[in-house]
Protein backbone atom coordinates (compact mmCIF):
# COMPACT_ATOMS: atom_id res chain seq x y z
CA UNK A 1 0.00 0.00 0.00
CA UNK A 2 1.23 3.46 -0.85
CA UNK A 3 1.95 5.94 1.91
CA UNK A 4 -0.39 8.79 2.73
CA UNK A 5 1.22 12.00 1.47
CA UNK A 6 1.42 14.60 4.24
CA UNK A 7 0.55 17.79 2.37
CA UNK A 8 2.64 20.43 4.17
CA UNK A 9 1.60 23.11 1.75
CA UNK A 10 -2.09 22.58 2.49
CA UNK A 11 -1.56 22.25 6.26
CA UNK A 12 0.54 25.42 6.24
CA UNK A 13 -2.19 27.24 4.30
CA UNK A 14 -4.73 26.24 6.97
CA UNK A 15 -2.44 27.52 9.72
CA UNK A 16 -1.78 30.76 7.86
CA UNK A 17 -5.52 31.32 7.58
CA UNK A 18 -5.87 30.75 11.36
CA UNK A 19 -3.12 33.32 11.90
CA UNK A 20 -4.75 35.80 9.51
CA UNK A 21 -7.90 35.64 11.64
CA UNK A 22 -5.92 36.10 14.87
CA UNK A 23 -4.19 39.14 13.36
CA UNK A 24 -7.51 40.64 12.21
CA UNK A 25 -8.92 40.20 15.74
CA UNK A 26 -5.82 41.88 17.20
CA UNK A 27 -6.20 44.79 14.82
CA UNK A 28 -9.87 45.23 15.76
CA UNK A 29 -9.34 44.89 19.51
CA UNK A 30 -6.09 46.84 19.92
CA UNK A 31 -5.46 48.74 16.69
CA UNK A 32 -2.11 46.97 16.43
CA UNK A 33 -0.72 44.28 14.13
CA UNK A 34 2.31 42.00 14.62
CA UNK A 35 5.57 43.21 13.08
CA UNK A 36 8.45 41.05 11.83
CA UNK A 37 11.91 42.41 11.03
CA UNK A 38 13.83 40.31 8.50
CA UNK A 39 17.60 40.70 8.36
CA UNK A 40 19.34 39.40 5.25
CA UNK A 41 23.12 39.71 5.03
CA UNK A 42 24.76 39.28 1.64
CA UNK A 43 23.29 37.89 -1.57
CA UNK A 44 22.84 34.11 -1.20
CA UNK A 45 20.14 33.11 -3.68
CA UNK A 46 18.49 30.57 -1.35
CA UNK A 47 18.39 33.01 1.58
CA UNK A 48 16.95 35.73 -0.68
CA UNK A 49 14.23 33.33 -1.81
CA UNK A 50 13.31 32.25 1.72
CA UNK A 51 13.22 35.82 3.06
CA UNK A 52 11.09 36.94 0.12
CA UNK A 53 8.65 34.08 0.80
CA UNK A 54 8.52 35.01 4.49
CA UNK A 55 7.74 38.67 3.74
CA UNK A 56 5.02 37.68 1.27
CA UNK A 57 3.47 35.30 3.80
CA UNK A 58 3.49 38.10 6.40
CA UNK A 59 1.68 40.45 4.01
CA UNK A 60 -0.98 37.82 3.28
CA UNK A 61 -1.60 37.31 7.00
CA UNK A 62 -1.78 41.04 7.74
CA UNK A 63 1.57 41.02 9.56
CA UNK A 64 3.79 44.02 8.93
CA UNK A 65 7.34 43.23 7.82
CA UNK A 66 10.42 45.40 7.91
CA UNK A 67 13.14 44.23 5.53
CA UNK A 68 16.79 44.94 6.22
CA UNK A 69 19.04 43.93 3.33
CA UNK A 70 22.64 44.40 4.38
CA UNK A 71 25.90 44.06 2.44
CA UNK A 72 27.85 40.80 2.77
CA UNK A 73 30.91 42.67 4.08
CA UNK A 74 29.06 44.40 6.94
CA UNK A 75 31.07 44.43 10.17
CA UNK A 76 30.05 42.49 13.25
CA UNK A 77 29.67 45.81 15.07
CA UNK A 78 27.35 47.30 12.46
CA UNK A 79 25.21 44.16 12.32
CA UNK A 80 24.95 44.18 16.12
CA UNK A 81 23.84 47.80 15.96
CA UNK A 82 21.05 46.86 13.51
CA UNK A 83 19.84 44.11 15.87
CA UNK A 84 19.92 46.43 18.86
CA UNK A 85 17.94 49.05 16.93
CA UNK A 86 15.28 46.41 16.19
CA UNK A 87 15.23 45.32 19.84
CA UNK A 88 14.33 48.92 20.74
CA UNK A 89 11.65 49.37 18.05
CA UNK A 90 8.15 48.86 19.52
CA UNK A 91 6.63 48.12 16.07
CA UNK A 92 8.95 45.09 15.75
CA UNK A 93 7.69 42.06 17.71
CA UNK A 94 9.92 39.48 16.06
CA UNK A 95 13.43 39.54 14.62
CA UNK A 96 14.59 37.03 12.01
CA UNK A 97 18.28 37.01 11.11
CA UNK A 98 18.42 34.64 8.14
CA UNK A 99 21.20 32.04 8.41
CA UNK A 100 23.85 31.26 7.40
CA UNK A 101 25.70 34.52 8.05
CA UNK A 102 29.01 35.25 6.28
CA UNK A 103 32.06 33.53 7.79
CA UNK A 104 33.53 36.69 9.33
CA UNK A 105 30.44 37.18 11.49
CA UNK A 106 30.16 35.48 14.89
CA UNK A 107 26.61 34.19 14.52
CA UNK A 108 26.30 33.09 18.14
CA UNK A 109 26.98 36.66 19.30
CA UNK A 110 24.39 38.04 16.86
CA UNK A 111 21.72 35.52 17.89
CA UNK A 112 22.43 36.16 21.57
CA UNK A 113 21.93 39.91 21.02
CA UNK A 114 18.31 39.42 19.87
CA UNK A 115 15.98 40.29 22.72
CA UNK A 116 14.45 37.11 24.17
CA UNK A 117 10.91 38.41 23.70
CA UNK A 118 11.58 38.95 19.95
CA UNK A 119 13.46 35.71 19.25
CA UNK A 120 10.83 34.29 16.89
CA UNK A 121 13.37 31.87 15.37
CA UNK A 122 14.00 30.42 18.83
CA UNK A 123 17.77 30.43 18.28
CA UNK A 124 18.74 32.56 21.29
CA UNK A 125 21.01 30.41 23.50
CA UNK A 126 18.64 30.82 26.45
CA UNK A 127 15.64 29.63 24.40
CA UNK A 128 17.65 26.64 23.11
CA UNK A 129 18.82 25.92 26.66
CA UNK A 130 15.27 25.95 27.97
CA UNK A 131 14.14 23.75 25.06
CA UNK A 132 16.78 21.22 26.07
CA UNK A 133 15.67 20.97 29.69
CA UNK A 134 12.71 19.29 31.30
CA UNK A 135 9.79 21.54 32.25
CA UNK A 136 11.50 24.79 31.26
CA UNK A 137 9.35 26.40 28.62
CA UNK A 138 11.26 28.36 25.97
CA UNK A 139 9.53 31.57 24.83
CA UNK A 140 9.83 30.37 21.23
CA UNK A 141 10.46 27.01 19.60
CA UNK A 142 12.52 27.02 16.35
CA UNK A 143 10.26 27.12 13.30
CA UNK A 144 11.35 24.08 11.29
CA UNK A 145 11.33 21.66 14.27
CA UNK A 146 8.01 23.06 15.44
CA UNK A 147 6.66 22.59 11.92
CA UNK A 148 7.73 18.92 11.91
CA UNK A 149 5.80 18.22 15.13
CA UNK A 150 2.79 20.16 13.86
CA UNK A 151 2.76 17.99 10.70
CA UNK A 152 2.71 14.83 12.83
CA UNK A 153 -0.01 16.19 15.11
CA UNK A 154 -2.23 17.45 12.32
CA UNK A 155 -1.84 14.11 10.51
CA UNK A 156 -2.99 12.19 13.60
CA UNK A 157 0.37 10.45 14.08
CA UNK A 158 1.01 9.34 17.66
CA UNK A 159 4.44 10.30 19.03
CA UNK A 160 4.33 9.11 22.64
CA UNK A 161 5.99 5.74 23.22
CA UNK A 162 7.13 5.31 19.64
CA UNK A 163 10.64 4.99 18.25
CA UNK A 164 11.76 8.26 16.71
CA UNK A 165 14.98 8.46 14.72
CA UNK A 166 16.40 11.87 13.81
CA UNK A 167 19.07 12.04 11.12
CA UNK A 168 21.24 15.11 11.75
CA UNK A 169 22.16 17.09 14.86
CA UNK A 170 22.39 20.69 13.64
CA UNK A 171 21.46 23.59 15.89
CA UNK A 172 18.67 24.70 13.59
CA UNK A 173 16.94 21.37 12.89
CA UNK A 174 18.31 18.05 14.15
CA UNK A 175 18.99 18.93 17.77
CA UNK A 176 15.84 20.95 18.49
CA UNK A 177 13.54 18.48 16.71
CA UNK A 178 15.10 15.70 18.78
CA UNK A 179 14.36 17.65 21.98
CA UNK A 180 10.75 18.18 20.94
CA UNK A 181 10.26 14.47 20.18
CA UNK A 182 11.74 13.58 23.55
CA UNK A 183 9.42 16.04 25.33
CA UNK A 184 6.55 14.33 23.56
CA UNK A 185 7.70 11.00 25.03
CA UNK A 186 9.16 9.38 21.93
CA UNK A 187 12.05 6.98 22.45
CA UNK A 188 14.78 8.87 20.67
CA UNK A 189 17.80 8.02 18.54
CA UNK A 190 19.88 10.79 16.97
CA UNK A 191 22.13 9.77 14.05
CA UNK A 192 24.89 11.77 12.38
CA UNK A 193 27.92 11.44 10.12
CA UNK A 194 29.68 9.05 12.54
CA UNK A 195 26.72 6.71 13.02
CA UNK A 196 27.97 3.19 12.30
CA UNK A 197 25.07 1.48 10.54
CA UNK A 198 22.64 4.14 9.44
CA UNK A 199 20.21 1.84 7.54
CA UNK A 200 19.88 -0.42 10.60
CA UNK A 201 19.13 2.57 12.85
CA UNK A 202 16.58 3.98 10.42
CA UNK A 203 14.82 0.59 10.23
CA UNK A 204 13.92 0.97 13.93
CA UNK A 205 12.03 4.20 13.29
CA UNK A 206 8.27 4.46 13.68
CA UNK A 207 8.89 8.17 13.08
CA UNK A 208 11.83 9.27 10.95
CA UNK A 209 12.96 12.89 10.68
CA UNK A 210 15.67 13.33 8.05
CA UNK A 211 17.71 16.56 8.18
CA UNK A 212 21.13 15.82 6.71
CA UNK A 213 21.26 17.77 3.44
CA UNK A 214 22.21 14.73 1.29
CA UNK A 215 19.93 14.29 -1.74
CA UNK A 216 17.89 11.05 -1.56
CA UNK A 217 20.33 9.41 0.85
CA UNK A 218 17.62 7.44 2.70
CA UNK A 219 16.53 4.54 0.50
CA UNK A 220 13.17 2.78 0.49
CA UNK A 221 14.58 -0.42 1.99
CA UNK A 222 15.77 1.53 5.07
CA UNK A 223 12.18 2.41 5.99
CA UNK A 224 10.18 0.37 8.48
CA UNK A 225 6.84 -0.55 6.88
CA UNK A 226 4.15 1.88 7.99
CA UNK A 227 6.59 4.46 9.41
CA UNK A 228 5.93 8.22 9.32
CA UNK A 229 8.67 9.97 7.33
CA UNK A 230 9.30 13.71 7.76
CA UNK A 231 11.81 14.83 5.15
CA UNK A 232 13.38 18.17 6.09
CA UNK A 233 16.09 18.12 3.41
CA UNK A 234 15.87 20.68 0.63
CA UNK A 235 18.57 19.86 -1.92
CA UNK A 236 18.98 21.27 -5.42
CA UNK A 237 20.05 18.66 -7.97
CA UNK A 238 20.88 19.36 -11.63
CA UNK A 239 17.98 18.73 -13.98
CA UNK A 240 18.29 19.66 -17.65
CA UNK A 241 14.52 19.12 -18.11
CA UNK A 242 13.65 21.84 -15.61
CA UNK A 243 13.59 25.45 -16.89
CA UNK A 244 15.65 26.51 -13.85
CA UNK A 245 18.26 23.82 -14.63
CA UNK A 246 17.71 22.17 -11.24
CA UNK A 247 14.99 20.62 -9.12
CA UNK A 248 14.57 20.21 -5.36
CA UNK A 249 14.73 16.81 -3.70
CA UNK A 250 14.68 15.73 -0.08
CA UNK A 251 17.05 13.60 1.97
CA UNK A 252 14.74 10.64 1.33
CA UNK A 253 14.30 8.82 -2.01
CA UNK A 254 10.60 9.71 -2.15
CA UNK A 255 9.39 7.29 -4.85
CA UNK A 256 10.99 4.33 -3.08
CA UNK A 257 10.00 5.38 0.44
CA UNK A 258 6.34 6.02 -0.38
CA UNK A 259 5.96 2.33 -1.30
CA UNK A 260 6.92 1.33 2.25
CA UNK A 261 6.07 4.19 4.62
CA UNK A 262 2.67 4.80 6.20
CA UNK A 263 2.91 8.56 5.69
CA UNK A 264 5.53 10.79 4.09
CA UNK A 265 6.17 14.47 3.40
CA UNK A 266 7.12 15.52 -0.14
CA UNK A 267 9.88 17.95 -1.11
CA UNK A 268 8.95 20.61 -2.07
CA UNK A 269 5.61 21.08 -0.33
CA UNK A 270 6.35 19.32 2.96
CA UNK A 271 8.31 20.85 5.82
CA UNK A 272 9.40 24.04 3.98
CA UNK A 273 5.99 25.76 3.95
CA UNK A 274 5.54 24.80 7.63
CA UNK A 275 8.74 26.65 8.56
CA UNK A 276 7.20 29.84 7.23
CA UNK A 277 3.81 29.23 8.87
CA UNK A 278 5.51 28.65 12.26
CA UNK A 279 7.44 31.92 11.88
CA UNK A 280 4.15 33.76 11.43
CA UNK A 281 2.74 31.90 14.46
CA UNK A 282 5.71 32.85 16.64
CA UNK A 283 5.56 36.48 15.47
CA UNK A 284 1.84 36.70 16.26
CA UNK A 285 2.45 35.13 19.69
CA UNK A 286 5.23 37.66 20.30
CA UNK A 287 2.90 40.54 19.45
CA UNK A 288 0.15 39.16 21.72
CA UNK A 289 2.62 38.93 24.61
CA UNK A 290 3.82 42.49 23.97
CA UNK A 291 0.19 43.67 24.16
CA UNK A 292 -0.27 41.75 27.44
CA UNK A 293 2.77 43.48 28.89
CA UNK A 294 1.17 46.80 27.90
P1 LIG B 1 23.76 20.85 8.57
O1 LIG B 1 23.95 21.93 9.55
O2 LIG B 1 24.67 20.70 7.42
O3 LIG B 1 23.70 19.48 9.38
C1 LIG B 1 23.65 18.24 8.74
C2 LIG B 1 23.63 17.12 9.75
O4 LIG B 1 23.56 15.90 9.02
C3 LIG B 1 24.88 17.05 10.62
O5 LIG B 1 24.52 16.73 11.94
C4 LIG B 1 25.70 15.93 9.99
O6 LIG B 1 26.45 15.16 10.91
C5 LIG B 1 24.62 15.04 9.41
N1 LIG B 1 25.10 14.31 8.24
C6 LIG B 1 25.71 14.81 7.14
N2 LIG B 1 26.03 13.82 6.29
C7 LIG B 1 25.62 12.67 6.85
C8 LIG B 1 25.66 11.32 6.46
N3 LIG B 1 26.20 10.94 5.30
N4 LIG B 1 25.13 10.40 7.30
C9 LIG B 1 24.58 10.77 8.47
N5 LIG B 1 24.50 12.04 8.89
C10 LIG B 1 25.02 12.98 8.09
O7 LIG B 1 22.31 20.94 7.91
P2 LIG B 1 20.91 21.56 8.45
O8 LIG B 1 21.00 23.02 8.49
O9 LIG B 1 20.44 20.81 9.63
O10 LIG B 1 19.99 21.18 7.21
C11 LIG B 1 19.77 19.85 6.79
C12 LIG B 1 18.90 19.83 5.54
O11 LIG B 1 17.64 20.40 5.85
C13 LIG B 1 19.42 20.66 4.36
O12 LIG B 1 19.03 20.01 3.17
C14 LIG B 1 18.69 21.97 4.51
O13 LIG B 1 18.54 22.64 3.27
C15 LIG B 1 17.36 21.50 5.00
N6 LIG B 1 16.59 22.48 5.78
C16 LIG B 1 15.29 22.63 5.46
C17 LIG B 1 14.48 23.47 6.20
C18 LIG B 1 13.04 23.57 5.87
O14 LIG B 1 12.37 24.45 6.34
N7 LIG B 1 12.51 22.67 5.09
C19 LIG B 1 15.02 24.19 7.27
C20 LIG B 1 16.37 24.03 7.57
C21 LIG B 1 17.14 23.15 6.83
P3 LIG B 1 27.67 15.75 11.80
O15 LIG B 1 27.00 16.51 12.90
O16 LIG B 1 28.36 14.54 12.27
O17 LIG B 1 28.46 16.61 10.87
N1 LIG C 1 17.70 30.95 9.04
C1 LIG C 1 16.00 29.44 8.30
N2 LIG C 1 18.11 29.50 7.22
C2 LIG C 1 17.78 28.40 6.35
N3 LIG C 1 10.82 25.54 0.78
C3 LIG C 1 14.57 28.58 6.53
C4 LIG C 1 13.61 27.30 4.64
C5 LIG C 1 11.47 27.75 3.61
N4 LIG C 1 17.31 32.30 10.86
C6 LIG C 1 16.91 31.36 10.03
O1 LIG C 1 13.71 29.46 6.63
O2 LIG C 1 14.06 29.32 9.60
C7 LIG C 1 15.18 29.85 9.38
N5 LIG C 1 15.65 30.82 10.20
N6 LIG C 1 15.62 28.50 7.35
N7 LIG C 1 14.61 27.59 5.59
C8 LIG C 1 15.88 26.90 5.70
C9 LIG C 1 16.62 27.56 6.83
C10 LIG C 1 17.28 29.98 8.19
C11 LIG C 1 13.77 26.25 3.77
C12 LIG C 1 12.78 25.94 2.82
C13 LIG C 1 11.63 26.70 2.75
C14 LIG C 1 12.44 28.05 4.53
C15 LIG C 1 10.57 26.41 1.75
O3 LIG C 1 9.48 26.98 1.81
C16 LIG C 1 9.89 25.19 -0.24
C17 LIG C 1 9.39 23.77 -0.01
O4 LIG C 1 10.11 22.98 0.61
O5 LIG C 1 8.27 23.49 -0.46
C18 LIG C 1 10.58 25.25 -1.59
C19 LIG C 1 11.02 26.65 -1.91
C20 LIG C 1 11.67 26.79 -3.28
O6 LIG C 1 12.86 27.17 -3.33
O7 LIG C 1 11.00 26.51 -4.27
Amino acid sequence: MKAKIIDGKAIAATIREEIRQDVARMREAHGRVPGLATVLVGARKDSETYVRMKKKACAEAGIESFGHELPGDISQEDLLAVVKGLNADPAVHGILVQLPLPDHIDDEAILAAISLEKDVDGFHPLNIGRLSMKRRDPLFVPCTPKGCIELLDRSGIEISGRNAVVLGRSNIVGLPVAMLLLHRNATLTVCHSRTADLPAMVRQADILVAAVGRPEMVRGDWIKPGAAVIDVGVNAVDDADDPRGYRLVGDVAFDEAREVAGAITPVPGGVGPMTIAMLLRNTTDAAARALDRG
Side-chain angles (χ1 to χ4, degrees):
M1 205 185 82
K2 279 207 177 190
K4 169 184 176 237
I5 309 292
I6 301 175
D7 187 344
K9 202 171 166 188
I11 295 172
T14 301
I15 294 171
R16 283 163 57 170
E17 174 56 23
E18 293 167 7
I19 294 167
R20 198 185 62 74
Q21 291 176 17
D22 289 350
V23 170
R25 272 193 291 274
M26 188 182 287
R27 192 197 295 108
E28 278 159 33
H30 304 280
R32 299 286 304 274
V33 296
L36 174 71
T38 61
V39 179
L40 177 64
V41 181
R44 275 181 69 115
K45 278 277 160 292
D46 56 348
S47 297
E48 284 175 353
T49 302
Y50 298 148
V51 169
R52 196 180 336 108
M53 291 166 71
K54 289 173 182 184
K55 289 201 284 199
K56 181 165 173 270
C58 279
E60 285 168 8
I63 296 172
E64 202 170 357
S65 69
F66 308 92
H68 295 262
E69 277 81 49
L70 306 170
D73 61 356
I74 189 172
S75 68
Q76 174 89 11
E77 200 187 357
D78 288 353
L79 184 53
L80 267 179
V82 170
V83 170
K84 286 180 181 162
L86 297 171
N87 283 343
D89 183 344
V92 171
H93 302 103
I95 302 172
L96 164 93
V97 178
Q98 188 70 19
L99 300 176
L101 291 168
D103 288 344
H104 70 279
I105 301 282
D106 173 1
D107 52 9
E108 194 186 348
I110 301 296
L111 297 176
I114 295 173
S115 116
L116 265 185
E117 291 75 23
K118 300 190 180 189
D119 178 34
V120 288
D121 251 331
F123 292 158
H124 189 290
L126 196 57
N127 273 330
I128 295 284
R130 286 181 180 162
L131 179 71
S132 308
M133 296 166 85
K134 213 174 172 178
R135 287 188 286 276
R136 302 268 204 288
D137 281 335
L139 279 113
F140 300 100
V141 172
C143 301
T144 302
K146 186 171 170 163
C148 293
I149 302 295
E150 196 78 33
L151 283 176
L152 292 169
D153 284 345
R154 293 200 185 223
S155 305
I157 293 161
E158 178 75 28
I159 300 174
S160 182
R162 304 186 74 209
N163 289 345
V165 174
V166 175
L167 305 186
R169 54 177 165 180
S170 73
N171 289 334
I172 85 167
V173 193
L175 204 67
V177 84
M179 292 306 154
L180 291 175
L181 289 163
L182 197 54
H183 289 321
R184 293 288 298 273
N185 300 315
T187 300
L188 177 69
T189 306
V190 181
C191 301
H192 44 75
S193 64
R194 311 292 175 88
T195 297
D197 186 349
L198 207 54
M201 299 312 272
V202 172
R203 275 184 204 113
Q204 305 297 313
D206 301 310
I207 297 171
L208 174 68
V209 179
V212 287
R214 304 260 181 250
E216 301 177 326
M217 184 184 82
V218 177
R219 309 313 309 190
D221 65 356
W222 301 17
I223 308 285
K224 177 174 174 177
V229 178
I230 305 293
D231 190 354
V232 183
V234 178
N235 310 293
V237 296
D238 292 340
D239 184 352
D241 294 335
D242 191 291
R244 296 173 301 184
Y246 70 90
R247 68 194 158 88
L248 297 178
V249 301
D251 291 340
V252 178
F254 181 83
D255 290 339
E256 294 176 16
R258 72 181 296 193
E259 302 293 333
V260 191
I264 185 168
T265 61
V267 178
V271 176
M274 292 298 288
T275 296
I276 295 175
M278 293 301 110
L279 176 66
L280 304 189
R281 179 81 269 160
N282 282 351
T283 303
T284 305
D285 290 351
R289 287 184 201 140
L291 283 169
D292 283 347
R293 286 195 302 270

